[in-house]
Structure formats: structure tokens, C-alpha cells
Amino acid sequence: MAVQLDDAVDKRAPRIGKGGAPPSGRATGTRSSRTGRAAPYLLLLPALLATAVFLGWPMVRNILLSFQTLNMKELIQHLTVWRGAGNFQEILGNEEFWRVTVRTLVFTAVNVVLIMVLGVLVGLLLARLGKKMRLVLSVALVLAWAMPVIAATTVFQWLFDSRYGVVNWVLDQLGWHSMAHYDWVGTQLSTFFVITLLIVWQSLPFVALNLYAATTTIPKELYEAARMDGAGTWKVFTTVTFPFLKPFFLATTFLEVIWVFKAFPQIFAINKGGPDRLTETLPIYAFTEGVGNLHFGMGAAISLLTIAVLLAVTAYYLRLTLKQEEDEL
């Protein structure tokens, strides 16, 4: 009888090793499944915390500040004067804000069109060059892309300097003697020309290198079939390259719109939005009103309106993306 009881206990009870009894199979599977479901959230947690601290909290403070009157007096006396929607009403009723908004949209559109057209051309050129020339051009693009924004802006300031600039010297040597001491930041159009040249030069490598990388994913059989049908270079691009890389063009254009729209250091370092504030875009306008004129509540409200314009552009892009996905289905 004792032997039978011992056998029954041995069958029911788990065997305990030197390190203790292992958990049952069902418990192990349940804990593993829970851990597997929680793993993505645990991996995202550091990024979410960093976003909340460095982006979320400043955004909340900026929203609160936009409803306040905070000038030098309130700042020194540590006063909190709530104004409600007064800042937004004053800005939206100001003609200067709408002029700056239109100027920003036009400036962004011109730059993005130039960046995309020239970037696509350079990217297609990379795809057709030999290995050595492709390597040389790629290194040059990477070096231009890797140069810090302020360093590149300083270089352009020296290039277009009215007294010692290389550009004026070259134009003078070519026969345009009236350009010997031309002030490139003296008028609105010439200042925008220098800024646009700088921004396009900085952005072009991103588009060109990414386009070249994307063209390597297109099957060569498609190009061969198009050429056998008698398609020329432009026809090959419109019937093979562009349809295949349409998602790339949409995503890249969207990123360039955001990058150009919020461009601040290039414009501010070239001429601080001058002359006579004629080259101010929305980021420069918000900084000038907020920090320059010590109207911090007004500057916060302008920055929120700038974000609203970007959100409208983002919504339009998402609409195009969803439409494209529906057409593909």
C-alpha cells in the first residue's frame, strides 16, 4: 500500500531538481505570450518618454503662452496675464501676417519644385554614369549634404559678399562690371535668390541619392521592354520610372515641403529677414515678434498658426497617399 501511494505521488507531483521546480507549461506559455505582446510597447517607451519630455511639454507650455500677454513688464515682475484668444485675433486681423504667410507658401513651392526637378535629374544621372564617375559625384553630394547648416550659410555669405565675394569677382571678370560691388542682400529678390540657391544646394543630395537608390530596385526588364517598343528617354521615365517610384516622389516631396517651410537658420543668418523684413517667412516672423520685439505671447501664437498651416499640408499629403493606396487596390 505504501509503495502504491509513493508511486501515485511520484506521478502527480513534479520532479524537483537541484535548482527548484520549473513552472508548468501552461504558465510558461501565458507569461511568454504576455511578454511578447508587451515587448513592442516596452521598446517604444524610451522614445515616447523622450518625445513627451522634449516635444510634448514645450508644446503645452507654448499653447499656454499663446493665451497670455507676456512682454518685458510681465516677464520681470513674474506676472501671468491671461488674454484668451486676443493674440490670435490680433494676428489674424493683421495684414502683415497674411503677407508673410503667402510669401512663405510661394517661397516653399519654388524651392521644392527646384529641389525635386534638379534632384531627379542628378539622381537619373547617377544611374547612367560609370562606377568611377558615380563614386566621385556621390562623394561630392554626401559632402554637400553633411556640411552643417550654419557653416554652409557662412560659405554662401562669403561667396556673395559685396566687397570680397567670389561671385562678384567672377561676374566682373566676365564683363559685368556693374556687378563688381553688387549687394546681394540689398533687395528682396536678390536676397531670396541667395537663400534659394543655398537651400536647394543643401537639399539636392538627399533627393538625388535616394532617387538613385530607388532606381536600383526597378527591374531592368521593364526598361528593356520599353526600349524595344521604341520609347525614348522621356517616355521611359514617364511610363516606367515615375509610375514605379510614385510613392517615393510623394514621400520625398512631402519631406522637402516640411524642411523648406520651417527653414530658419539660412534665412536668419543671411540677412535676418531683411531688407526691411521683406524676406521674413513664418518661422522668422514668429521669432522676430516673440524674441526680437519681446512679445512672447504673440510669438507663441504665430508659431502655433505656423504648425496649423503645416498640419493642413500634412492632411493634404495623407489624402493623396490614401487615394493612391485605394487606386492600387
Side-chain angles (χ1 to χ4, degrees):
M1 186 69 178
V3 175
Q4 293 177 354
L5 290 175
D6 291 339
D7 293 339
V9 170
D10 291 338
K11 292 179 180 178
R12 293 180 181 179
R15 298 189 178 275
I16 301 176
K18 186 176 180 180
S24 64
R26 180 177 296 178
T28 303
T30 303
R31 292 177 183 175
S32 299
S33 61
R34 291 177 180 176
T35 304
R37 288 194 297 266
Y41 301 99
L42 293 176
L43 294 175
L44 288 174
L45 186 60
L48 294 176
L49 290 176
T51 302
V53 172
F54 296 107
L55 183 61
W57 177 241
M59 179 63 69
V60 172
R61 293 292 299 171
N62 192 68
I63 293 173
L64 295 176
L65 187 61
S66 66
F67 293 101
Q68 300 177 20
T69 298
L70 183 60
N71 301 328
M72 182 58 68
K73 175 185 176 182
E74 291 78 13
L75 187 64
I76 294 176
Q77 298 180 1
H78 301 282
L79 298 176
T80 301
V81 180
W82 294 98
R83 195 184 179 190
N87 289 331
F88 294 96
Q89 293 175 355
E90 183 176 347
I91 293 168
L92 294 175
N94 189 355
E95 294 182 0
E96 181 64 21
F97 169 77
W98 295 108
R99 282 196 294 267
V100 174
T101 301
V102 173
R103 184 187 304 148
T104 305
L105 294 175
V106 174
F107 172 77
T108 302
V110 171
N111 277 270
V112 170
V113 169
L114 290 175
I115 290 169
M116 292 303 299
V117 171
L118 296 177
V120 169
L121 293 176
V122 175
L124 295 176
L125 178 63
L126 282 172
R128 299 175 69 91
L129 288 176
K131 291 184 179 180
K132 293 183 179 180
M133 290 303 298
R134 183 187 301 134
L135 178 62
V136 173
L137 183 56
S138 298
V139 170
L141 291 172
V142 170
L143 291 177
W145 192 14
M147 182 175 291
V149 175
I150 296 300
T153 305
T154 304
V155 170
F156 270 72
Q157 284 178 312
W158 278 105
L159 287 174
F160 290 92
D161 185 74
S162 59
R163 297 182 61 186
Y164 307 106
V166 176
V167 174
N168 287 354
W169 179 82
V170 171
L171 292 176
D172 182 35
Q173 295 298 315
L174 293 176
W176 286 286
H177 301 296
S178 60
M179 303 296 293
H181 299 286
Y182 182 75
D183 186 9
W184 287 94
V185 295
T187 64
Q188 182 186 33
L189 290 178
S190 60
T191 304
F192 267 132
F193 172 79
V194 176
I195 295 171
T196 299
L197 192 63
L198 170 61
I199 291 179
V200 170
W201 179 78
Q202 289 179 317
S203 304
L204 189 146
F206 173 78
V207 178
L209 293 174
N210 279 281
L211 178 69
Y212 166 68
T215 55
T216 59
T217 63
I218 302 177
K220 295 182 179 180
E221 293 79 6
L222 297 179
Y223 288 110
E224 294 176 357
R227 291 191 181 94
M228 290 179 64
D229 292 338
T233 303
W234 175 250
K235 193 67 174 179
V236 169
F237 176 78
T238 56
T239 57
V240 178
T241 305
F242 184 78
F244 199 88
L245 299 182
K246 191 175 181 180
F248 162 81
F249 287 111
L250 286 175
T252 306
T253 303
F254 173 68
L255 294 176
E256 291 300 330
V257 167
I258 293 177
W259 195 81
V260 174
F261 190 93
K262 66 183 184 66
F264 178 86
Q266 300 93 331
I267 303 174
F268 190 80
I270 288 293
N271 201 17
K272 298 182 180 179
D276 299 326
R277 304 184 65 175
L278 292 176
T279 59
E280 283 186 350
T281 56
L282 282 175
I284 304 295
Y285 183 60
F287 178 83
T288 303
E289 291 294 327
V291 179
N293 296 335
L294 302 178
H295 299 157
F296 299 102
M298 194 72 67
I302 296 172
S303 65
L304 288 179
L305 292 175
T306 303
I307 294 174
V309 175
L310 273 178
L311 289 177
V313 175
T314 303
Y316 179 73
Y317 164 76
L318 293 177
R319 181 181 177 184
L320 289 179
T321 304
L322 294 175
K323 184 178 179 181
Q324 180 187 357
E325 292 179 356
E326 291 176 357
D327 294 339
E328 292 177 354
L329 293 176

